[in-house]
Amino acid sequence: MGRDEEIRAITEALGAAREGRGGAVFLVGEGGIGKTRLASAAGDLGYATGMRLMRGRSSTTGPLVPYRALTEAVLSLLRDGDPVDVDQLGSYRPVLGRLVPDLRPASTDQGDASLVILAEAVLRLTGLAGRGRGCLMTLEDLHDADPETLGVAEYLVDNLAHQPVLLIGTLRDRPGAALDLARSVVQRGNGQLIELGRLDRGQLARMVASCLDRTVSEVPDAVTELLWAGSTGNPFLVEELLSDVVDSATLVRTTEGWRMSGDVLTNRPDTFARSVRRRVEQLPEQTRELIMVGALLGARFPLPVAQAVTGLTDRDLLRHLQAPVAAQLVVADDQTPDWYRFQHPLVQEALVGLLEPGERTRLARRTVDAVAAGYPGLPGEWCQISAALRLKAGETVAAGRLLAEAGRRCLAEGAASSAVALLDEAWALLVDDDAAVRADALEALIYALAEAGRIGRALAMVDVVDQVAGALDQRRLAHLHTRLAWAAMLAGQSVEGMARMQAARALLGPDPLPADAASIDVVAAHLELDLPGPDRIQQVETTARRAAKVAEEAHSPVVACQAWQLVGTLVRHRDPSEATACLERSRAIAVEHQLSIWEIHALVRLGNDDALRDGGTERLEQARAQASRIGAVTARYQAEASIALQAVLQGDYQRAEMLIDDVWTATTRLKLLETAEYVLLLRAVLAGHRGRRRDMEATLTELRDAHGDQTRNSPRIHGLARTFCALLEEDRTRAVREMSRALDADNRNPTTFHLVGRYGLDLLLGALGTSAPASRPAPPAATPAGTLRWDRQFALFAQAVLAGRRGAHEEATAAVADAAQVGQPYPMGRHLGLRLVAEAALADGWGSPVEWLRVAEEYFHDAEVPAVAGACRTLLRTAGVRVGQRRSGLDHMPSALRSAGITVREFEVLQLLVDRLSNREIGERLYLSARTVERHISNLINKTGLPNRIALSEFAARGFQR
């Protein structure tokens, strides 16, 4: 009634979602204003057009219950008669196990804890559900939602524009995070906010007439005035008060229609609470107690608990609940068997308000005891419900302990913001409790603040720690300082973190318990890694080794895994075999203790070792597959980034580009900033290895703009990107300068990245220099890090140049053969080495430089690296070899296009524009990424002088005639 405009807006939004243009609609208003009824009407409209429906309601039990609405929404979809094939979600399927445990693999590990990754999993599920038909996801009572649910909702609405999904959220118009979210979404243009107002007198009259099955003129004016006075146009209150005046015989049906009886002013129910009270007074004592127990439990309650408190038999229990008056208050919950819910949250709130303090305390104690007996260990939301009941019973310390436990559970599940809220409340309630119990809660609170990203407040907790220090033993206080140090590490405040670690060590004394020592050393190792200086790698290794050894002895498997993996990363430059042994040790511990996520991280690092040693990516692919199976999305993207790097080195540029684009898009959306930064760096390396300076520099600018100062990446930027780009431009001087910058940066702040060029390309550039002595050492095995395959090929080429210069021609030729064999997985690196060494061989008269140049020229011509291909042809002519121009593919191109400088690949893209294909479709046909196609089209627009893509398509359709 009176919602025509709102229905029209929702209908349009549903239609847009079915067409793949998703969005969000927030229905805002006071309790009883009709939000749920309007959302139900939207569900009816969606169902009538074949859309998939998902529906969930937030917790109204008092304390927060993470993900309640999302869990109900996902379950409602999975219970549908036409279930979704969740296996199509790939690695995101297990992530949904946080909401629905049945989707979690048989593992004790929870996988990634990132809230954003969970949000992405929900987004993909809704997109899968709505494929070809649209999906409506309704989340009700968002004003009662936990921060994590609101975070997921915000992520969804920010990413629904190209999804076949409409999200409808209902919430009350009271200040809070939910209303702030709804308003911010509207301000960003990602959704609509519909504020539902009260009915005016005319609408109210029509509503009453409809309820009484009469026309407006047949309803007594006194009835309308009475209901207006009691409800002021709130639809729910109108219905409730109308029912009340009928039940109280204030309004009666006669043969002549509905008539008022008695004195209206005397009988007028002034408030909704009075209406509820009158109905409660009509209930038998046992029914009343049953209803009040349910109200204490929340807006919905389980029959077994209510039965345990009241002592009713099954038959009597249902008889009382289904009695006429009780049925006006509660109904069976259609979502969960053996549960009932109140007709409206306002009913439950009114009932609790009717309880006298003494009765509330008595019933709360009996109810919480029944919950404890019925749900041993208080799993799931029962911990929060029990805490609320303890508070109602006046047992503040017991409530505080339960809230602290609930907070720790939320933290373990990745719901850090909810954990902060629960632990804050627990800390306030535990003021009179045992010091050790308070310290446990404080330690968890500091950890939760850090995990929730509230680093500033976490660090500020040092004042609280100082306040309670006198009541704690030194070991407990040391744990608190260790937590503060971890928060400082996450904030990048290494100095503050080290100060906290020193305080922790001082408190534990010279002989700490092994488990304490290991946990401190792991944090210290991470802190030391962020400190500047040339010796920090050695210091970190010492600390990490100590942590690994002690953790194993103290049976702390997670700490042991962390420590061994860090050691393995640190020693790779010195001894790759030992690095592998450390990582294998970490993996074995993870497998033994069923720590799946740590096994995956070990596999990724082992895969990196394999790739560095021999170019193989089998173990990286294994890590990627295992990460997908258990839902370790972060580890999966790390594995894919490593695979992308190997694809760059191995010249599989199309696969590298696709992987980089996919991982960058996903990690940017998921805010996995470290991985996103790395793959953006890889994009610059990829451009450098293709000789595309403009693309490389543009990407490096993007990298700086998005992720700030790149000092830590300087060795890779100069050594792996710019040096190779200069060589592919035939700018040897620039390449030497870039390599020098890379090594200087690595000397100032050594990294754990081992492809800077120190043991490979730098040796070759040095050997080619005019001042390089023939005796300069360049054996590939001089340093363990020099055995890594990518560097070893260049070291062997350098060895060949030096041997040839001193007249050891056979040795030099053999070294080239060895280099070509070692460089077999790396076509660009191998052919670049042949081009460089052939120049030296021509000058010094050894080897087969003509053959090497022909091979290199063939490769760089096909790779569209004209500078190197041209240099090879020039050197061949210098050697007296006749060389013709090679323009494969250009013979089919119109001369005007050749004159405009259009490349063969650009011409292929232009031809496909005739069919008006999208970038993705063109990329699939030419085995290119959509990003590469976009760049080719931009180049075509610039070279042809045409204004846009449409003009290009028309130009191609006309046969390239203007």
Side-chain angles (χ1 to χ4, degrees):
M1 189 68 64
R3 305 299 189 206
D4 294 343
E5 290 299 322
E6 291 85 350
I7 287 290
R8 185 177 298 110
I10 290 174
T11 301
E12 292 175 357
L14 288 168
R18 288 192 296 274
E19 295 172 0
R21 295 178 286 111
V25 175
F26 291 96
L27 307 178
V28 180
E30 64 181 306
I33 202 66
K35 302 181 296 293
T36 295
R37 186 159 299 182
L38 189 55
S40 297
D44 293 340
L45 291 170
Y47 181 79
T49 56
M51 296 180 72
R52 301 299 291 266
L53 304 182
M54 302 174 67
R55 190 164 190 165
R57 185 186 298 273
S58 296
S59 172
T60 56
T61 58
L64 297 177
V65 179
Y67 311 119
R68 170 69 169 275
L70 294 170
T71 298
E72 287 189 3
V74 173
L75 284 172
S76 71
L77 179 66
L78 298 180
R79 287 195 296 260
D80 195 341
D82 182 17
V84 174
D85 182 8
V86 292
D87 289 335
Q88 294 186 45
L89 296 174
S91 58
Y92 286 95
R93 180 188 189 278
V95 176
L96 291 172
R98 194 184 303 175
L99 303 178
V100 182
D102 288 346
L103 298 178
R104 186 180 299 149
S107 169
T108 58
D109 201 292
Q110 297 296 313
D112 289 287
S114 169
L115 174 67
V116 182
I117 290 176
L118 174 63
E120 177 70 12
V122 175
L123 177 68
R124 296 192 180 209
L125 176 65
T126 59
L128 178 62
R131 187 179 297 168
R133 59 197 292 188
C135 176
L136 170 60
M137 183 181 194
T138 303
L139 299 179
E140 295 193 59
D141 294 337
L142 287 176
H143 52 273
D144 285 322
D146 55 287
E148 285 72 27
T149 293
L150 293 178
V152 172
E154 181 173 20
Y155 184 89
L156 292 176
V157 297
D158 283 343
N159 293 282
L160 286 177
H162 303 292
Q163 296 284 330
V165 181
L166 176 65
L167 171 67
I168 290 183
T170 71
L171 61 150
R172 292 189 184 176
D173 56 352
R174 64 190 187 197
L179 188 57
D180 291 343
L181 166 63
R183 287 175 174 163
S184 68
V185 166
V186 174
Q187 290 172 355
R188 298 197 298 269
N190 292 334
Q192 304 178 59
L193 187 151
I194 298 177
E195 296 189 71
L196 301 180
R198 296 189 175 193
L199 304 178
D200 59 29
R201 288 176 181 265
Q203 292 167 337
L204 183 145
R206 291 195 296 273
M207 177 179 176
V208 173
S210 176
C211 291
L212 297 178
D213 195 23
R214 287 291 186 269
T215 65
V216 173
S217 62
E218 294 177 306
V219 177
D221 291 340
V223 174
T224 303
E225 289 302 314
L226 175 65
L227 297 180
W228 175 260
S231 70
T232 61
N234 182 295
F236 175 74
L237 296 182
V238 171
E239 285 188 311
E240 290 296 302
L241 295 175
L242 178 58
S243 175
D244 188 63
V245 295
V246 171
D247 291 344
S248 64
T250 302
L251 180 66
V252 296
R253 183 193 294 267
T254 70
T255 56
E256 298 176 354
W258 291 95
R259 294 290 181 267
M260 296 293 293
S261 67
D263 185 350
V264 173
L265 293 178
T266 301
N267 293 303
R268 191 179 84 182
D270 292 314
T271 64
F272 171 65
R274 180 173 174 177
S275 171
V276 173
R277 178 187 293 275
R278 193 190 63 77
R279 274 179 276 180
V280 170
E281 289 172 348
Q282 296 177 32
L283 296 173
E285 182 60 31
Q286 285 186 310
T287 307
R288 181 183 182 280
E289 184 176 65
L290 175 62
I291 294 296
M292 288 303 186
V293 167
L296 286 174
L297 286 166
R300 53 195 296 274
F301 58 93
L303 295 186
V305 172
Q307 185 176 32
V309 176
T310 60
L312 294 170
T313 65
D314 291 344
R315 184 173 182 176
D316 288 342
L317 185 72
L318 293 177
R319 179 173 57 82
H320 283 290
L321 288 172
Q322 294 170 3
V325 176
Q328 296 176 13
L329 302 172
V330 295
V331 292
D333 189 343
D334 55 4
Q335 295 286 333
T336 313
D338 292 332
W339 281 65
Y340 265 63
R341 62 178 176 81
F342 288 92
Q343 291 277 16
H344 195 279
L346 290 176
V347 174
Q348 184 255 345
E349 293 171 11
L351 286 168
V352 173
L354 294 176
L355 283 170
E356 296 295 331
E359 184 182 14
R360 181 186 295 115
T361 298
R362 178 183 62 81
L363 272 183
R365 286 176 178 169
R366 289 173 55 191
T367 304
V368 75
D369 290 341
V371 169
Y375 299 92
L378 301 178
E381 65 188 270
W382 288 111
C383 194
Q384 289 97 310
I385 294 173
S386 296
L389 289 169
R390 293 289 180 195
L391 275 177
K392 290 183 176 72
E395 301 172 4
T396 55
V397 171
R401 291 189 175 194
L402 287 170
L403 288 171
E405 174 61 23
R408 284 187 285 268
R409 292 181 186 179
C410 286
L411 188 58
E413 295 170 0
S417 295
S418 287
V420 169
L422 292 167
L423 289 163
D424 268 336
E425 189 175 357
W427 175 252
L429 294 173
L430 292 173
V431 64
D432 295 324
D433 202 359
D434 179 75
V437 174
R438 298 191 74 212
D440 283 340
L442 181 58
E443 183 178 353
L445 177 57
I446 295 171
Y447 187 23
L449 286 167
E451 290 297 313
R454 298 162 69 175
I455 302 297
R457 190 181 162 209
L459 293 176
M461 297 299 287
V462 63
D463 294 333
V464 180
V465 172
D466 291 340
Q467 292 171 13
V468 302
L472 300 175
D473 62 57
Q474 291 185 315
R475 181 168 180 261
R476 172 58 63 189
L477 195 56
H479 287 176
L480 292 175
H481 281 287
T482 303
R483 281 298 183 202
L484 288 169
W486 183 258
M489 186 273 293
L490 293 176
Q493 299 185 22
S494 301
V495 175
E496 171 65 18
M498 292 304 295
R500 292 294 135 203
M501 294 309 304
Q502 291 173 1
R505 292 189 193 281
L507 287 165
L508 292 174
D511 298 310
L513 292 176
D516 295 339
S519 63
I520 286 179
D521 281 342
V522 163
V523 178
H526 283 88
L527 285 164
E528 291 167 3
L529 195 59
D530 288 336
L531 296 175
D535 299 327
R536 79 186 195 288
I537 299 294
Q538 181 178 352
Q539 295 170 358
V540 172
E541 181 186 339
T542 300
T543 306
R545 282 186 181 278
R546 183 169 64 241
K549 180 176 182 297
V550 174
E552 285 205 63
E553 294 172 349
H555 305 290
S556 299
V558 172
V559 174
C561 287
Q562 289 176 301
W564 280 123
Q565 289 184 24
L566 184 55
V567 173
T569 301
L570 296 171
V571 304
R572 186 187 293 136
H573 72 286
R574 186 178 70 245
D575 191 340
S577 297
E578 183 185 3
T580 299
C582 292
L583 296 174
E584 290 286 10
R585 180 61 190 154
S586 173
R587 184 187 179 194
I589 294 171
V591 171
E592 179 184 355
H593 295 277
Q594 296 183 321
L595 301 172
S596 303
I597 192 66
W598 289 107
E599 179 188 0
I600 298 297
H601 284 306
L603 272 176
V604 172
R605 288 170 172 78
L606 285 166
N608 283 328
D609 279 359
D610 292 347
L612 287 170
R613 273 198 302 271
D614 57 24
T617 60
E618 292 80 6
R619 192 134 50 171
L620 282 172
E621 295 287 1
Q622 180 187 355
R624 179 193 195 188
Q626 253 182 268
S628 295
R629 182 180 62 80
I630 71 166
V633 175
T634 301
R636 171 193 161 186
Y637 288 137
Q638 290 171 349
E640 289 183 339
S642 295
I643 294 169
L645 172 60
Q646 293 306 312
V648 173
L649 300 182
Q650 295 175 17
D652 193 350
Y653 299 136
Q654 292 176 4
R655 187 186 188 209
E657 190 164 25
M658 288 180 180
L659 280 170
I660 288 170
D661 286 350
D662 289 348
V663 175
W664 183 81
T665 299
T667 54
T668 299
R669 190 161 74 183
L670 297 173
K671 294 181 174 58
L672 301 176
L673 299 184
E674 184 177 358
T675 306
E677 178 180 3
Y678 179 62
V679 294
L680 201 55
L681 173 65
L682 290 185
R683 184 178 291 163
V685 172
L686 171 62
H689 279 233
R690 303 174 85 173
R692 298 176 177 177
R693 178 167 296 278
R694 181 182 300 177
D695 292 344
M696 179 185 71
E697 295 299 342
T699 301
L700 290 174
T701 299
E702 182 182 356
L703 181 63
R704 285 192 297 272
D705 291 345
H707 299 280
D709 178 67
Q710 291 297 304
T711 300
R712 62 187 177 281
N713 286 321
S714 290
R716 286 178 276 197
I717 290 172
H718 294 289
L720 198 57
R722 284 179 169 154
T723 296
F724 278 93
C725 190
L727 288 173
L728 296 182
E729 295 169 330
E730 285 294 316
D731 190 343
R732 190 89 53 84
T733 301
R734 188 173 193 170
V736 171
R737 186 168 62 248
E738 294 291 356
M739 180 55 68
S740 176
R741 290 176 178 172
L743 298 184
D744 286 346
D746 193 49
N747 289 334
R748 288 192 301 272
N749 287 294
T751 69
T752 57
F753 187 80
H754 306 295
L755 298 177
V756 174
R758 183 183 301 277
Y759 304 108
L761 188 59
D762 179 57
L763 299 178
L764 177 55
L765 291 175
L768 292 169
T770 55
S771 61
S775 60
R776 175 172 174 165
T783 301
T787 63
L788 303 180
R789 192 163 186 169
W790 170 258
D791 281 337
R792 198 160 78 247
Q793 63 176 329
F794 296 117
L796 285 165
F797 279 128
Q799 185 175 325
V801 171
L802 295 177
R805 188 170 298 165
R806 68 173 184 266
H809 294 176
E810 290 185 4
E811 178 186 338
T813 303
V816 172
D818 289 344
Q821 179 61 36
V822 171
Q824 196 62 37
Y826 313 114
M828 191 281 288
R830 183 175 77 253
H831 288 98
L832 181 62
L834 289 174
R835 175 263 174 272
L836 294 172
V837 82
E839 184 175 354
L842 281 175
D844 295 331
W846 59 273
S848 306
V850 171
E851 177 186 342
W852 299 336
L853 287 169
R854 287 189 186 279
V855 172
E857 190 276 339
E858 176 84 19
Y859 172 79
F860 287 110
H861 168 76
D862 291 342
E864 298 182 8
V865 184
V868 182
C872 289
R873 288 193 290 271
T874 299
L875 287 170
L876 284 169
R877 293 190 188 98
T878 301
V881 178
R882 184 171 181 175
V883 182
Q885 290 294 321
R886 300 190 49 201
R887 298 184 182 275
S888 175
L890 291 177
D891 52 333
H892 300 296
M893 188 187 305
S895 59
L897 299 185
R898 288 201 302 270
S899 300
I902 291 174
T903 67
V904 173
R905 183 63 85 185
E906 290 167 352
F907 180 59
E908 291 173 343
V909 171
L910 181 59
Q911 288 175 302
L912 291 176
L913 285 175
V914 174
D915 298 326
R916 302 293 177 93
L917 300 178
S918 68
N919 289 353
R920 180 181 58 79
E921 290 169 329
I922 293 173
E924 289 174 351
R925 294 196 184 188
L926 298 179
Y927 300 99
L928 300 174
S929 72
R931 187 183 180 91
T932 299
V933 173
E934 182 180 356
R935 185 175 63 246
H936 285 320
I937 291 175
S938 177
N939 291 340
L940 284 166
I941 290 173
N942 291 332
K943 292 177 180 179
T944 61
L946 294 170
N948 51 44
R949 184 191 184 107
I950 295 175
L952 268 180
S953 300
E954 294 173 349
F955 174 60
R958 292 193 300 268
F960 317 112
Q961 298 296 319
R962 296 209 178 254

